[in-house]
C-alpha cells in the first residue's frame, strides 16, 4: 500500500530567471522532508510601444505583454518614469530617416527613472539610483528600458523625472551645436531660430552661461516669454512678416556669428542673410529640401554645418555630460518641460510635435 503524504508548498520567484518551489513533506522519512523543485519561470512582462511597420503615428502600438529586457554586460535596466519625445523619432517611425531600425522596435532615447538592475562590470550605478539617459538599447517608450552604462547619468535631486527626461537629447545636442561644432566664444552673438522648444531652450541657457549675446525666435507670445526667461537677451516673433528686418536692425546690420537652426528647410536661405563675417549656421533640424544661393556663403565666407549627436565620439559625449551635470548643480541649467502625455497617447504626441502651433519646452511621455 502506498503511503499518502501531506505537504505544503511555498513559491519563491526569482525575477526573470527561475521559479523555485520548496515542498515540505510532513509525514515522510527525514531525508524526504524538504524537496526543492526548480522550473523555468515566465519572464516579467511590461507595457511598451512597438512599431511593426513604418508609417504615420497610427503604427505606434501599445502592447502590455512585452518581455522586460535583461541588462547584459556594461548595461543597466531602468524603471522608466518619463521619456522624452523628439522630432527625429517621428522621422524614424515614418521610414524617411537615413537610420532605420530593424522591425519591430520600440522608439525612445532620453528617459529618466530608477535603476532596477545592472549587468556585469557595471560599478557606477546600483539598484535604486535616480538616472537619466541620452540613449537606450531597447527603447524608451516602455515601462522598463535597457541602456548602455556609458549613456546613463545621475539625476540630481534638484530635478524631477519629467525634467530628467528633458535633458539628454536637447542639452547634449545644444552643447554639441554651440561649442563642439560651432566653436562659440564668449562675446559672440547667437540666434536660436525656434528657441522655445527643448533644444532651443537648452541652447539659450548654454549660450548665456558661455557669455554669448543670445537672440531667439518663437511663434507665440507665450513662447517668446519663455525664451526670455531662459537666457535670451532679445526675442523676435518669427510669424511676423518683417521679423528678419527687425533682427538686422537689432544687430546694427553686422549680423550674428552663429545661428542654431531647428527648421532649416524653411529658414536656411534667410539665415545666410543674417550671418556676420565668418558666421556659421548649425543645422540641428530639417524636414525637407530647400533651395539656397551658394554665393551667400562666399560673400561672408560663412559655413553651413550639420549637427548629429549620434556621431559624437566618446570623449565628446563625456564633455557634454560634464557641462550638463555642472550646469544643473550651478543652477543655470533648468529643463523646460512642455506638453505631457500618458503612454496611451503616444500617437497624439507624435502628431503634436510636428503639427503644434508653437513649441513650448520638451515634450514628455509619463509612465
Amino acid at each position: 500500500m502506498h503511503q499518502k503524504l501531506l505537504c505544503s508548498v511555498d513559491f519563491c520567484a526569482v525575477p526573470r530567471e527561475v521559479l523555485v518551489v520548496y515542498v515540505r513533506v510532513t509525514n515522510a522519512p527525514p531525508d524526504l522532508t524538504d524537496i526543492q523543485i526548480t522550473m523555468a519561470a515566465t519572464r516579467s512582462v511590461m507595457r511598451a510601444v512597438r512599431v511593426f511597420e513604418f508609417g504615420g503615428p497610427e503604427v505606434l502600438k501599445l502592447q502590455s505583454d512585452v518581455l522586460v529586457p535583461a541588462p547584459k554586460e556594461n548595461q543597466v535596466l531602468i524603471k522608466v518614469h518619463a521619456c522624452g519625445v523628439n522630432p527625429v523619432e517621428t522621422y524614424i517611425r515614418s521610414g524617411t530617416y537615413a537610420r532605420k531600425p530593424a522591425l519591430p522596435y520600440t522608439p525612445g532615447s532620453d528617459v529618466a527613472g530608477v535603476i532596477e538592475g545592472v549587468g556585469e562590470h557595471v560599478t557606477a550605478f546600483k539598484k535604486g539610483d535616480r538616472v537619466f539617459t541620452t540613449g537606450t538599447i531597447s527603447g524608451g517608450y516602455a515601462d522598463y528600458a535597457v541602456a548602455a552604462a556609458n549613456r546613463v547619468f545621475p539625476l540630481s535631486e534638484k530635478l524631477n523625472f519629467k525634467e530628467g527626461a528633458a535633458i539628454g537629447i536637447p542639452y547634449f545636442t545644444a552643447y554639441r551645436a554651440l561649442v563642439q561644432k560651432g566653436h562659440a566664444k564668449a562675446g559672440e552673438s547667437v540666434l536660436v531660430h525656434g528657441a522655445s522648444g527643448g533644444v532651443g531652450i537648452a541652447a539659450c541657457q548654454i549660450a548665456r552661461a558661455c557669455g554669448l549675446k543670445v537672440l531667439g525666435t518663437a511663434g507665440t507670445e507665450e513662447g517668446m516669454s519663455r525664451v526670455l526667461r531662459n537666457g535670451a537677451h532679445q526675442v523676435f516673433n518669427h510669424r511676423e512678416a518683417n521679423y528678419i528686418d527687425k533682427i538686422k536692425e537689432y544687430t546694427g546690420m553686422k549680423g550674428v556669428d552663429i545661428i542654431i537652426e531647428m527648421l532649416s528647410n524653411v529658414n536656411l536661405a534667410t539665415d545666410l542673410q543674417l550671418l556676420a563675417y565668418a558666421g556659421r549656421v548649425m543645422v540641428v533640424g530639417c524636414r525637407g529640401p530647400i533651395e539656397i544661393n551658394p554665393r551667400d556663403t562666399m560673400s561672408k565666407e560663412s559655413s553651413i554645418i550639420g549637427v548629429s549627436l549620434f556621431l559624437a565620439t566618446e570623449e565628446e559625449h563625456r564633455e557634454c555630460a560634464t557641462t550638463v551635470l555642472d550646469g544643473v548643480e550651478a543652477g543655470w541649467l533648468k529643463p523646460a518641460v512642455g506638453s505631457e502625455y500618458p503612454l496611451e497617447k503616444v500617437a497624439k504626441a507624435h502628431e503634436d510635435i510636428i503639427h503644434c502651433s508653437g513649441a513650448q519646452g520638451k515634450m514628455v511621455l509619463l509612465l
Side-chain angles (χ1 to χ4, degrees), residues 90-155:
T90 70
Y91 312 151
I92 295 172
R93 182 217 67 224
S94 70
T96 61
Y97 197 64
R99 183 169 53 89
K100 290 185 180 181
L103 297 171
Y105 76 98
T106 295
S109 298
D110 38 0
V111 308
V114 176
I115 295 290
E116 180 71 16
V118 300
E120 290 186 53
H121 308 307
V122 175
T123 58
F125 301 102
K126 64 182 184 304
K127 183 173 181 177
D129 287 348
R130 300 171 80 249
V131 296
F132 71 92
T133 75
T134 57
T136 66
I137 295 170
S138 60
Y141 295 8
D143 288 325
Y144 293 89
V146 162
N150 64 352
R151 293 296 179 265
V152 179
F153 307 93
L155 178 61

Side-chain angles (χ1 to χ4, degrees), residues 141-262:
Y141 295 8
D143 288 325
Y144 293 89
V146 162
N150 64 352
R151 293 296 179 265
V152 179
F153 307 93
L155 178 61
S156 170
E157 293 293 340
K158 295 180 179 180
L159 303 179
N160 58 38
F161 290 117
K162 292 185 290 186
E163 293 169 323
I167 297 176
I169 300 299
Y171 283 87
F172 282 57
T173 298
Y175 182 82
R176 181 164 179 77
L178 274 167
V179 179
Q180 293 179 340
K181 306 303 289 186
H183 305 295
K185 302 177 184 65
E188 287 190 314
S189 59
V190 59
L191 171 65
V192 183
H193 213 159
S196 61
V199 177
I201 293 296
C204 287
Q205 293 179 359
I206 293 172
R208 186 65 177 254
C210 290
L212 277 74
K213 181 74 171 182
V214 185
L215 314 181
T217 76
T220 65
E221 290 298 324
E222 183 181 358
M224 293 170 68
S225 176
R226 184 184 288 266
V227 171
L228 286 174
R229 293 196 306 270
N230 284 278
H233 293 89
Q234 185 63 263
V235 65
F236 303 89
N237 188 333
H238 55 219
R239 296 189 188 279
E240 293 182 357
N242 64 337
Y243 84 99
I244 295 295
D245 294 331
K246 289 184 177 181
I247 295 174
K248 289 181 177 179
E249 181 181 353
Y250 183 83
T251 59
M253 306 305 289
K254 174 182 179 295
V256 293
D257 297 300
I258 303 173
I259 297 177
I260 307 297
E261 183 53 67
M262 313 300 173

Side-chain angles (χ1 to χ4, degrees), residues 230-309:
N230 284 278
H233 293 89
Q234 185 63 263
V235 65
F236 303 89
N237 188 333
H238 55 219
R239 296 189 188 279
E240 293 182 357
N242 64 337
Y243 84 99
I244 295 295
D245 294 331
K246 289 184 177 181
I247 295 174
K248 289 181 177 179
E249 181 181 353
Y250 183 83
T251 59
M253 306 305 289
K254 174 182 179 295
V256 293
D257 297 300
I258 303 173
I259 297 177
I260 307 297
E261 183 53 67
M262 313 300 173
L263 197 61
S264 54
N265 57 295
V266 172
N267 301 318
L268 184 57
T270 307
D271 288 341
L272 296 176
Q273 305 294 326
L274 292 174
L275 288 177
Y277 171 74
R280 46 268 191 218
V281 180
M282 312 308 300
V283 178
V284 173
C286 183
R287 299 180 186 176
I290 185 174
E291 182 176 317
I292 66 169
N293 186 345
R295 285 187 176 276
D296 291 335
T297 66
M298 297 165 61
S299 61
K300 298 176 183 178
E301 291 194 329
S302 54
S303 305
I304 302 169
I305 304 171
V307 179
S308 174
L309 184 58

